[in-house]
Amino acid sequence: MTTQEMNQAFEQAYGRKAEKIFFAPGRVNLIGEHTDYNGGCVFPCALSFGAWLLIAPNADKVLRFRSLNMPQTYEIAIYAIKPQADRAWCNYALGCIDIIARRHPEAKLQSGYDLLYFGNVPAGAGLSSSAAMEVVTARAFTEEMGWTLADDKKYRTELALIGQACEHEYAGVMCGVMDQFASAQGKKDHAIYLNCDTLEFEHVPVKLEGIKVVISNTHSPHHLDSGAYNDRVRQCKTAVEQISKVKPIKFLAELTPEDWAAVQDAVTDPIAKKRARHVVGEVARTAQAVEALKQGKIELFGELMTASHVSLRDDYEVTGKELDTLAEAAWQVEGVLGSRMTGGGFGGCTVSLVRDEAIETFKAFVGKEYEEKTGLKADFYVAEIGDGVMRL
Ligand code: GLA
């Protein structure tokens, strides 16, 4: 859909023109999974698809929510902003508006607004459609409510933190900051090497001569729901508590593999032990992978991606049949450098590095294996790495 068509849709819905239009992208994470809420590093890129938001103030002191993707519409009085029941989609926007006001007391919602959202991130694919919606809302409403920062880098980090707080408070998912950060700080043809403890980051060029980043969608009905996700967060906390009896730490990501070898016996809970082993290994792999990419050692990067999947499958246990089938089929294709699940897990997508000449074979072989083993059809997209949130 073009922005012109979105503008027309706004006029049709509200009988007048939109005043401003904003865009925030979804993301794909190349490596560093389930490390963000453990104080570790991640390596995501923003995608060229995401969420658009068109807005115009109204004189009615109400927020009117419409989406070109969802049939439900909502009208919320501006003095009655609170989480809505039944997983209402407007929670991802309302939460941001609420949190902007709470984090920045000088920010004021002066009027009501008519809002129209449109998203083209495949739904439920683990490519952060909700983070895109949060960040686009945070971008629009910080400006409308009169709180922004001249320092663009700091401003974008704050937009990510607003989005993350919204996810915690309005969606009940105790997520890390990766998804919102990628959506806010993305840069065309670069990945973001982010330290999720300090929020320091670096844009690293993704220059892959003759190789593409291919996203494969399971279209699986199984998702990492807030329950399974929050369980992982708790299990990691248990590991931190048990390790802290012998070596005080705040986050699992503080441990090197050598530290882990020395302290692992302190983790008496067998599940927590597996989870911690993944996190420590993944943090080391992520640092190694970023170094490999910088040095043009793409084969090594691919091998580390594959090792990441194995650890997420065996120790973190967030893959499941669909993601494993896609990854394991990809590993068999000549010209695939590496393949792993990306995002929270269970359903969603894998990300693979595939040589140009192998892409058609990859799609045919992986697609066929997947359909035979799961009865589902996979979808494939060649990722375009795009910029972070913007006003258009
Ligand atoms: C989800 C969360 C992120 C991150 C990933 C796993 O996408 O929103 O914060 O924890 O899972 O790496």
Side-chain angles (χ1 to χ4, degrees), residues 27 29 32-37 42 126-128 130-131 164 167 173-180 224 229 233 312 316 340-345:
R27 65 95 190 91
N29 188 22
E33 215 67 85
H34 287 281
T35 51
D36 60 353
Y37 52 87
V42 292
L127 300 175
S128 296
S130 65
Q164 182 194 22
E167 192 81 36
V173 182
M174 299 314 287
C175 65
V177 75
M178 168 170 75
D179 304 349
Q180 293 80 7
L224 180 69
Y229 187 92
V233 177
L312 288 156
Y316 221 68
R340 59 182 289 277
M341 59 152 270
T342 183

Side-chain angles (χ1 to χ4, degrees), residues 76-122:
I76 316 279
I78 62 171
Y79 49 80
I81 294 177
K82 58 173 197 295
Q84 306 296 301
D86 304 324
R87 297 169 156 233
W89 66 257
C90 69
N91 278 335
Y92 294 102
L94 273 182
C96 290
I97 296 170
D98 184 11
I99 284 153
I100 293 168
R102 277 157 42 204
R103 283 174 77 98
H104 304 289
E106 65 274 39
K108 294 266 180 306
L109 195 56
Q110 307 279 10
S111 72
Y113 280 88
D114 295 342
L115 300 101
L116 180 70
Y117 287 87
F118 169 69
N120 63 358
V121 181

